[in-house]
Amino acid sequence: MRKSSFPMLAALCVAAPAYAQSSVTLYGIIDEGLMYVSNARVTSNGATHSGRIIGLSSGVLSGSRWGLRGAEDLGGKLQAIFVIENGYDPSTGKLNQGGLMFGRQAYVGLSSQTFGSVTLGRQYDASPDMVGYLAAGSQWAGYIGAHPGDLDNFNNSYRTNNDIKYTSPSWAGFRVEATYAPGGVAGDYTRNQNFSAGASYLNGPLTTGVAYVNVRNPNVGYFGANSQTTLTAATSNVSAGTPVYSGFASAHTYQNIAAAIAYQFGAATIGGTYANVRFSGLGDASSGPNTTGYRGNAVFNSAEVSLRYQITPALLVGAAYNYTHGGSADFVGGSKEAATYHQGALGIDYFLSKRTDLYLIGVYQRALGTDSTNHSAVAAINGLSASDNGRQAALRLGLRSKF
């Protein structure tokens, strides 16, 4: 009996995929390397001073992750799909995104070749999906090459919980996307609400994208989405305390209007991005703390130009410059000159194989004016400890492997 039943069981296991047409893929990235940072704030013996940091760090060019991606054919060109994706730090083994098990993405939905897909769960909004992937920070410059504080979310710093997303199929290179996340607060469905929309177009050497994002009570519902606990408006949850806009935690609404374009000339690609980011309704104590007494609106304008050159199929180099200006807001006692950030980045990426590459990135930032904390602006390269003065540099040598 045992000898005859085993072949039958094996045949059923082999035949099952032919009926269900289902697949589950395990994938991931490990990105690790050395980082040098100048003029970083260092605290020792209860005192804070400026110092240099040299050490291992993870996920600069691509966030280290592992995930499962699945699809099941339901017939009629319709599929059930899902993604669960975990972010982790190989330097220490700890979880990223505030310790969430699947803090990068976690969603399920239906997908059709004809009508597009609808997915439900923790997802990205239209800013990184339709525009951000054309920025230098999302291509070869890593998160240290993102715009100050990643204020436009081009580098995927923020995800949206409880999100409903529609993504169209490609119509002759044109795609659209829309997302909506109800606030989920009893008695006030608009609190922590998030909605976005965007479009992209790819035709030969030309790629363009536009996006609009609007978030209510962003301190908790957007900037605080990387947390295992229920957050309140009593503390600022803005981007790990970046001085670029952490002082605007009391904003009632965060709005981002963004656009990008890239054009390829042979081995060279030139690109540009623009974002208008508005923190409006400052002084809303139900959104976040307002220690400076801000009121009104704070508006940032951020523009980037970049060049990428594919020297050989295995070797590329890149250069980018970003200018970010704004953030000045009225407060009790008057107002001050808005902050200005100048940032340059250079990078080189060499592919040892299809899955593994070695890269070097250098970033320099200069800050002027008054930042959101109502102090003289300090340089604050994205994802790093802010400087105690207006200058900061970072150099990264990393190794990335995909599986």
Side-chain angles (χ1 to χ4, degrees):
M1 292 295 294
R2 290 179 181 176
K3 290 183 179 179
S4 61
S5 63
F6 181 77
M8 182 178 294
L9 178 61
L12 288 173
C13 291
V14 172
Y19 291 101
Q21 292 295 312
S22 62
S23 65
V24 176
T25 302
L26 171 66
Y27 66 93
I29 299 174
I30 302 177
D31 183 332
E32 183 74 347
L34 287 169
M35 180 87 83
Y36 165 83
V37 183
S38 71
N39 297 335
R41 288 178 182 171
V42 179
T43 301
S44 61
N45 299 323
T48 301
H49 60 277
S50 179
R52 299 174 182 176
I53 298 176
I54 302 176
L56 287 177
S57 64
S58 168
V60 173
L61 187 55
S62 298
S64 296
R65 71 197 75 174
W66 69 268
L68 294 172
R69 179 186 298 111
E72 181 184 6
D73 190 356
L74 303 177
K77 297 183 179 181
L78 183 67
Q79 286 187 321
I81 59 175
F82 76 87
V83 168
I84 51 174
E85 189 175 270
N86 161 281
Y88 68 95
D89 183 349
S91 297
T92 62
K94 70 178 182 180
L95 297 176
N96 288 335
Q97 289 79 49
L100 299 175
M101 177 62 72
F102 296 110
R104 291 187 60 86
Q105 298 183 89
Y107 63 80
V108 65
L110 298 174
S111 176
S112 164
Q113 296 179 9
T114 304
F115 301 106
S117 64
V118 175
T119 50
L120 315 172
R122 179 175 169 87
Q123 305 178 80
Y124 300 125
D125 60 48
S127 178
D129 284 352
M130 299 286 106
V131 178
Y133 72 99
L134 294 174
S138 300
Q139 296 185 40
W140 52 263
Y143 71 67
I144 59 175
H147 306 152
D150 196 20
L151 78 169
D152 44 31
N153 200 32
F154 285 179
N155 203 241
N156 294 332
S157 293
Y158 307 111
R159 283 84 173 169
T160 303
N161 293 330
N162 309 307
D163 194 37
I164 305 167
K165 176 189 285 190
Y166 168 74
T167 305
S168 78
S170 176
W171 299 305
F174 180 76
R175 293 189 308 123
V176 297
E177 175 181 296
T179 72
Y180 174 71
V185 177
D188 187 358
Y189 70 93
T190 65
R191 176 164 291 279
N192 304 334
Q193 174 184 269
N194 180 318
F195 61 89
S196 72
S200 67
Y201 179 69
L202 171 60
N203 185 5
L206 176 67
T207 305
T208 62
V210 294
Y212 174 81
V213 180
N214 186 288
V215 184
R216 305 289 175 84
N217 316 104
N219 179 50
V220 174
Y222 195 55
F223 302 122
N226 289 340
S227 176
Q228 300 183 67
T229 59
T230 301
L231 300 175
T232 69
T235 59
S236 175
N237 306 302
V238 178
S239 190
T242 175
V244 179
Y245 52 94
S246 60
F248 303 141
S250 66
H252 177 71
T253 303
Y254 165 93
Q255 176 184 279
N256 180 16
I257 301 173
I261 186 169
Y263 195 90
Q264 184 175 352
F265 299 89
T269 301
I270 60 171
T273 69
Y274 170 76
N276 176 274
V277 175
R278 177 183 294 267
F279 293 84
S280 61
L282 293 169
D284 181 359
S286 67
S287 294
N290 187 23
T291 57
T292 308
Y294 284 127
R295 60 196 178 199
N297 307 318
V299 181
F300 291 87
N301 287 283
S302 183
E304 175 190 284
V305 291
S306 64
L307 172 66
R308 185 184 67 195
Y309 192 85
Q310 195 79 41
I311 298 175
T312 71
L315 178 64
L316 70 84
V317 295
Y321 168 73
N322 169 254
Y323 174 80
T324 299
H325 174 75
S328 178
D330 293 335
F331 62 94
V332 177
S335 61
K336 294 184 178 180
E337 180 186 359
T340 299
Y341 300 89
H342 300 270
Q343 180 173 290
L346 296 171
I348 183 169
D349 194 357
Y350 180 71
F351 285 81
L352 303 171
S353 70
K354 290 183 178 180
R355 298 190 298 112
T356 302
D357 56 326
L358 183 68
Y359 64 89
L360 178 66
I361 304 168
V363 177
Y364 177 79
Q365 187 183 108
R366 177 80 168 101
L368 303 166
T370 304
D371 64 26
S372 72
T373 66
N374 197 30
H375 295 96
S376 294
V378 297
I381 292 176
N382 183 55
L384 305 180
S385 297
S387 172
D388 65 352
N389 59 53
R391 295 178 175 84
Q392 189 172 55
L395 187 65
R396 164 72 167 189
L397 176 62
L399 179 67
R400 176 178 63 172
S401 185
K402 302 176 182 179
F403 60 89

